[in-house]
């Protein structure tokens, strides 16, 4: 135990990104560190978010430069690829200026090619920095309860060293046992496809139930009896109750569209056909086009219900749908 404590004392942990997910994850890690009479250094582009962590004992960095100078392990949690790329452009520049090696643990959902790019850029520096891609599954409330599903990829020795930290934020860890950091991104996108595919199925089935005058509570009881898993139970209840006008504790249409876009791009590059992803993308895009990108992504059901009320809107042939889906995926690959 003394040896373990000594190792933890040597670890100087920094955390960048304190949004809905990052704050809850960082808070759980800080709670563990505080039990060892240690703390972490945090930084966010929004000073108010950093201040919240200060109340839990974390040290607030004066700047991102200050955080890098003080840390040899840096966790990052960001909203999307664009923000990750922007933050890492600064981190890579700063990483080239420090004398000590740094382990970067990226937890966001990003496209595989970006993870590979960041890993290559960091490993090319003379300090021998290490980049781990460790995306997580779960909403902010799950992160708060420290019940995330954590996925690891990158240097195996480093992952084993940091595994105890990961356990403070998760209920399960899936080790992909690969140095290829892109694999964790693939894994996360496939997992997200299962989630959005479930929502598409629920949205279609619940719309059919409504149009055929079935009691929605009876449908929910059936789902609870046959599919008693969180994704089915929570999204079906939100869709029936209409609690989809905001994303508090959930996931927005805008972010959902980016994720589904990544899934479709990965499918095209891998030679896979994902018609369910194409449908989900279409329904999410219809919601976004109404200026409702901030709504919870389960609001895709509104698009289906609207189309059902106007049958002329669904006369587009299957061939036309495939052509549109192919064009959109092709355009995404050029981004």
């Amino acid at each position: 135990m003394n040896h373990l404590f000594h190792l933890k004392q040597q670890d100087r942990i920094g955390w960048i990104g304190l949004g809905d997910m990052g704050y809850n994850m960082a808070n759980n890690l800080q709670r563990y560190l505080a039990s060892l009479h240690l703390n972490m250094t945090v930084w966010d582009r929004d000073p108010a978010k950093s201040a919240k962590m200060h109340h839990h004992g974390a040290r607030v960095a004066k700047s991102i430069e200050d955080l890098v100078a003080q840390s040899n392990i840096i966790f990052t949690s960001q909203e999307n690829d664009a923000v990750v790329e922007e933050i890492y452009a600064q981190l890579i520049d700063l990483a080239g200026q420090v004398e000590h090696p740094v382990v970067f643990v990226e937890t966001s959902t990003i496209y595989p090619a970006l993870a590979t790019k960041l890993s290559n850029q960091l490993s090319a520096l003379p300090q021998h920095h290490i980049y781990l891609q460790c995306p997580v599954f779960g909403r902010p409330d799950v992160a708060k309860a420290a019940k995330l599903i954590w996925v690891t990829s990158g240097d195996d020795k480093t992952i084993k060293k940091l595994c105890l930290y990961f356990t403070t934020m998760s209920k399960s860890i899936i080790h992909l046992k690969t140095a290829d950091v892109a694999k964790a991104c693939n894994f996360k996108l496939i997992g997200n496809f299962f989630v959005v595919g479930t929502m598409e199925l629920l949205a279609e089935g619940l719309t059919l139930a409504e149009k055929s005058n079935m009691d929605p509570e009876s449908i929910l009881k059936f789902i609870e009896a046959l599919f008693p898993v969180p994704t089915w139970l929570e999204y079906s209840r939100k869709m029936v109750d209409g609690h989809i006008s905001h994303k508090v504790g959930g996931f927005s249409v805008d972010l959902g569209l980016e994720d589904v876009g990544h899934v479709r791009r990965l499918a095209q590059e891998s030679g896979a056909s994902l018609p369910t992803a194409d449908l989900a993308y279409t329904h999410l895009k219809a919601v976004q086009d109404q200026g409702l990108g901030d709504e919870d992504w389960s609001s895709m059901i509104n698009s289906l219900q609207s189309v059902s009320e106007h049958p002329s809107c669904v006369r587009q042939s299957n061939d036309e749908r495939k052509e549109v889906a192919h064009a959109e995926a092709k355009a995404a690959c050029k981004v």
Side-chain angles (χ1 to χ4, degrees), residues 150-316:
W150 197 284
V151 181
T152 69
S153 67
D155 181 71
D156 185 60
K157 183 178 179 180
T158 304
I159 289 172
K160 289 178 179 177
K161 175 187 174 184
L162 301 187
C163 198
L164 182 59
Y165 295 141
F166 302 161
T167 63
T168 68
M169 299 173 268
S170 61
K171 68 173 183 180
S172 176
I173 301 176
I174 300 174
H175 298 294
L176 298 185
K177 299 179 180 179
T178 175
D180 184 356
V181 294
K183 295 298 184 183
C185 298
N186 292 351
F187 192 98
K188 182 63 164 67
L189 292 178
I190 292 168
N192 283 6
F193 169 66
F194 288 142
V195 175
V196 75
T198 296
M199 287 201 303
E200 174 67 31
L201 186 64
L202 286 170
E204 292 182 22
L206 291 171
T207 299
L208 175 60
E210 179 190 13
K211 300 305 177 182
S212 57
N213 298 316
M214 297 300 301
D215 174 30
E217 290 300 323
S218 296
I219 298 295
L220 291 178
K221 287 180 181 178
F222 166 75
I223 290 173
E224 182 178 356
L226 193 60
F227 307 107
V229 293
T231 303
W232 281 75
L233 297 176
E234 292 166 15
Y235 281 119
S236 61
R237 172 56 70 182
K238 290 182 77 168
M239 289 178 179
V240 168
D241 289 349
H243 295 164
I244 53 181
S245 60
H246 54 79
K247 68 175 186 69
V248 176
F251 197 64
S252 73
V253 169
D254 288 337
L255 292 178
L257 266 173
E258 180 167 9
D259 277 9
V260 179
H262 282 347
V263 170
R264 297 170 76 211
R265 178 181 170 187
L266 180 64
Q268 186 185 47
E269 292 178 354
S270 305
S273 175
L274 294 183
T276 301
D278 295 336
L279 284 171
Y281 187 91
T282 299
H283 295 145
L284 287 168
K285 189 68 170 66
V287 176
Q288 186 189 59
D289 288 345
Q290 295 174 28
L292 302 174
D294 283 338
E295 289 196 352
D296 187 87
W297 64 337
S298 59
S299 61
M300 64 161 57
I301 192 173
N302 290 342
S303 174
L304 278 157
Q305 291 172 336
S306 176
V307 167
S308 298
E309 291 169 2
H310 302 87
S312 61
C313 295
V314 297
R315 291 175 183 168
Q316 183 184 39

Side-chain angles (χ1 to χ4, degrees), residues 2-244:
N2 289 335
H3 175 64
L4 175 62
F5 183 65
H6 178 64
L7 285 176
K8 300 311 170 190
Q9 283 185 311
Q10 291 179 341
D11 293 342
R12 304 186 304 280
I13 297 178
W15 192 290
I16 296 175
L18 298 167
D20 292 341
M21 288 294 293
Y23 169 76
N24 288 310
M25 293 165 68
N27 193 26
N28 284 323
L29 179 54
Q30 170 59 28
R31 188 177 295 115
Y32 166 72
L33 292 173
S35 72
L36 299 177
H37 305 289
L38 304 172
N39 59 23
M40 66 195 303
T41 302
V42 301
W43 182 84
D44 190 276
R45 294 182 297 178
D46 181 354
K49 294 179 178 179
S50 298
K52 287 176 63 179
M53 281 300 300
H54 178 66
H55 296 316
H56 298 290
R59 174 185 176 271
V60 177
K62 297 176 183 178
S63 63
I64 191 171
E65 291 86 355
D66 180 33
L67 183 139
V68 174
Q70 297 294 326
S71 309
N72 59 11
I73 300 171
I74 298 176
F75 289 83
T76 56
S77 173
Q78 303 298 331
E79 190 174 54
N80 54 42
D81 290 52
V83 180
V84 168
E85 196 152 18
E86 177 186 340
I87 291 296
Y88 269 88
Q90 299 177 67
L91 289 177
I92 291 168
D93 178 57
L94 295 169
Q97 301 175 37
V98 298
E99 297 181 359
H100 60 277
V102 179
V103 176
F104 293 88
V105 185
E106 219 302 297
T107 66
S108 316
T109 301
I110 60 175
Y111 199 70
L114 177 55
T116 299
K117 173 185 172 183
L118 299 178
S119 179
N120 289 343
Q121 289 178 330
L122 284 165
S123 63
L125 295 173
Q127 292 87 345
H128 304 294
H129 301 301
I130 294 175
Y131 177 91
L132 305 180
Q133 188 66 42
C134 301
V136 297
F137 288 96
R139 300 186 313 276
D141 59 327
V142 178
K144 183 177 181 179
K147 293 185 177 180
L148 295 169
I149 298 174
W150 197 284
V151 181
T152 69
S153 67
D155 181 71
D156 185 60
K157 183 178 179 180
T158 304
I159 289 172
K160 289 178 179 177
K161 175 187 174 184
L162 301 187
C163 198
L164 182 59
Y165 295 141
F166 302 161
T167 63
T168 68
M169 299 173 268
S170 61
K171 68 173 183 180
S172 176
I173 301 176
I174 300 174
H175 298 294
L176 298 185
K177 299 179 180 179
T178 175
D180 184 356
V181 294
K183 295 298 184 183
C185 298
N186 292 351
F187 192 98
K188 182 63 164 67
L189 292 178
I190 292 168
N192 283 6
F193 169 66
F194 288 142
V195 175
V196 75
T198 296
M199 287 201 303
E200 174 67 31
L201 186 64
L202 286 170
E204 292 182 22
L206 291 171
T207 299
L208 175 60
E210 179 190 13
K211 300 305 177 182
S212 57
N213 298 316
M214 297 300 301
D215 174 30
E217 290 300 323
S218 296
I219 298 295
L220 291 178
K221 287 180 181 178
F222 166 75
I223 290 173
E224 182 178 356
L226 193 60
F227 307 107
V229 293
T231 303
W232 281 75
L233 297 176
E234 292 166 15
Y235 281 119
S236 61
R237 172 56 70 182
K238 290 182 77 168
M239 289 178 179
V240 168
D241 289 349
H243 295 164
I244 53 181

